Amino acid sequence: MRISLSSFRLWVLTTLTFSFLQSPINANGDHYNSPHITKLTLNKWDEFTMKTEDAALIVFYSPTCPHCRSFDPIFRSLATDLRGQARFGAVDCASPGARELCQIHQIKGVPSIKLWHSLQSNPSKRSHTDFNYNWKDKKTLRNFVTGKMLNYATSLTENDVNWTLDGFTSVDKFLNENSHVPKVITIAKSRDLLGSIKALSHRYKDQIAFAQISCKRDPKLCDKLGLPDSHPSFPEIWLLEKGATNIDEKWVYDSEKKYAKVHQFLKDWSEGSIKGVVKEKVDTTKPIHATTPDIYHHYCHSTSKSCFLSLISPPDAPNHPSELQTVTKAHSATSWLEYPYVFISDPSYKQQVVKHYGLRDDGGAAAVLISPKSNEYTPYVGSWDSVEIQGFVEGVAGGKIKRLKTEKHVVLKEEPQAQNEKNKEGTEERVRDDL
């Protein structure tokens, strides 16, 4: 098949036009345009890059450079991901107001990517590092930035201290030395903090004391803290109020772990707007018998933690002890999740829960994991087997089992004829040790 010269010219023109329209540069040629990227000129340089402790990633580019055009969406995406954690700037080497910067920093080719950062040993001193890797690899570029962020978190490790048989010496030391301020302990599998938590330790260095524990580096410490390697919700964020000197006084941050969310939470917490979302301690060896609506609402509605609510036979039923023993064993096995295990045996309350969440009502195992803060729930479909229940709870916590949405959680109502018979003293009934 022969193609005429005019047809070939038309094909080339069409192809080039289509490629231009598909490029990440918009029609007016505005490169690196983002609310999270600052266009730098000589008079803006010092204020943006040098008079700060933040890491500042700068790209030097030219509007006519094809590789600069390809790097544009990657740089904009990273600037969006790390907004508030690091600074992002762009220098147009063809612009009269910025050309001098490219000469000062001896830019020989574009795109040229450099990171200005403070030294951990002397935060007031600034230095810069060239990015000499594949700029198309966003993950490598991200790690390049977060790796140079200042880290004000104390690294807690068993190797640095003399251990006692019944204490966490390095943890105790950190808590006692910082008893005058609120404290945040981040526990993760990897050695380094998440970039967002690392940035927050910098943001709140004068208000909150931060510490980090790496379960990869110190598995024994994590085991002593009740966090096995299979723990599904790493990284964990533990919080301790001002004055707390015992790790048992911790409460767990149980919400989205993105920078903006945690930043706002810590801001409110440090200013006193939030006080101990999960201050109530739960006996990790016994589930809780909700004999009244108040007990149920206290453990399944008024905290930020999820609760595992099981509907078992009435106390006088023949199979009641075996069902209860199963829930107790499952609770003990997953107590590191710190979920209160609540059970209801009153037929009226059980029916209200079954109806609201659409649970089984055929005499089989009926239970639901309730997440009050997010208006979510997960029905349990299985048997009264402690290993099966444990796997269910861990699966939901780890995101392997889907949670369902609800407009509101069930509010138990006491039957009129039972109001004067149940819980006369207003105290909760706990499971006996010998069950």
Side-chain angles (χ1 to χ4, degrees), residues 175-388:
L175 296 180
N176 280 279
E177 288 180 347
N178 297 282
S179 62
H180 60 291
V181 292
K183 293 158 284 292
V184 172
I185 299 178
T186 301
I187 307 169
K189 284 188 176 182
S190 61
R191 181 172 181 175
D192 293 329
L193 285 168
L194 292 176
S196 58
I197 301 299
K198 202 172 183 180
L200 289 167
S201 75
H202 177 208
R203 291 284 179 271
Y204 292 94
K205 63 180 180 179
D206 297 322
Q207 300 158 275
I208 300 172
F210 282 78
Q212 61 178 350
I213 296 173
S214 166
C215 290
K216 183 177 181 180
R217 181 184 179 188
D218 289 304
K220 291 182 180 179
L221 175 55
C222 290
D223 285 342
K224 286 177 76 73
L225 291 171
L227 295 172
D229 189 57
S230 59
H231 184 59
S233 60
F234 281 123
E236 279 273 289
I237 301 176
W238 290 0
L239 305 108
L240 295 102
E241 301 282 358
K242 178 180 177 181
T245 57
N246 191 310
I247 196 64
D248 290 336
E249 299 177 69
K250 74 178 185 303
W251 45 289
V252 181
Y253 176 79
D254 188 34
S255 190
E256 194 174 4
K257 292 167 186 171
K258 291 185 177 180
Y259 177 83
K261 292 285 187 181
V262 182
H263 186 6
Q264 185 60 52
F265 175 87
L266 292 181
K267 181 177 183 294
D268 294 339
W269 184 45
S270 64
E271 293 174 353
S273 301
I274 298 175
K275 291 186 178 293
V277 176
V278 190
K279 293 292 285 184
E280 187 70 31
K281 293 182 180 178
V282 177
D283 188 335
T284 58
T285 64
K286 305 171 186 175
I288 300 151
H289 191 179
T291 55
T292 69
D294 285 345
I295 296 174
Y296 157 75
H297 295 145
H298 175 73
Y299 286 104
C300 292
H301 282 206
S302 63
T303 73
S304 70
K305 295 297 294 182
S306 300
C307 87
F308 181 80
L309 178 65
S310 56
L311 312 180
I312 65 175
S313 306
D316 56 351
N319 60 335
H320 173 82
S322 60
E323 292 177 355
L324 189 54
Q325 184 69 18
T326 295
V327 175
T328 303
K329 287 171 67 176
H331 184 212
S332 298
T334 54
S335 61
W336 48 272
L337 286 172
E338 296 191 342
Y339 290 168
Y341 275 57
V342 181
F343 69 93
I344 292 175
S345 59
D346 182 282
S348 171
Y349 300 155
K350 287 171 61 178
Q351 191 57 41
Q352 293 176 54
V353 175
V354 166
K355 183 177 179 181
H356 186 87
Y357 295 111
L359 304 183
R360 64 193 299 178
D361 193 18
D362 56 3
V368 59
L369 191 69
I370 297 173
S371 305
K373 194 171 183 180
S374 58
N375 276 351
E376 295 175 326
Y377 72 99
T378 311
Y380 172 67
V381 180
S383 65
W384 288 122
D385 177 80
S386 60
V387 176
E388 195 171 348

Side-chain angles (χ1 to χ4, degrees), residues 59-75:
V59 57
F60 297 84
Y61 72 94
S62 170
T64 58
C65 162
H67 291 307
C68 299
R69 180 175 12 178
S70 298
F71 183 56
D72 181 20
I74 300 171
F75 194 74

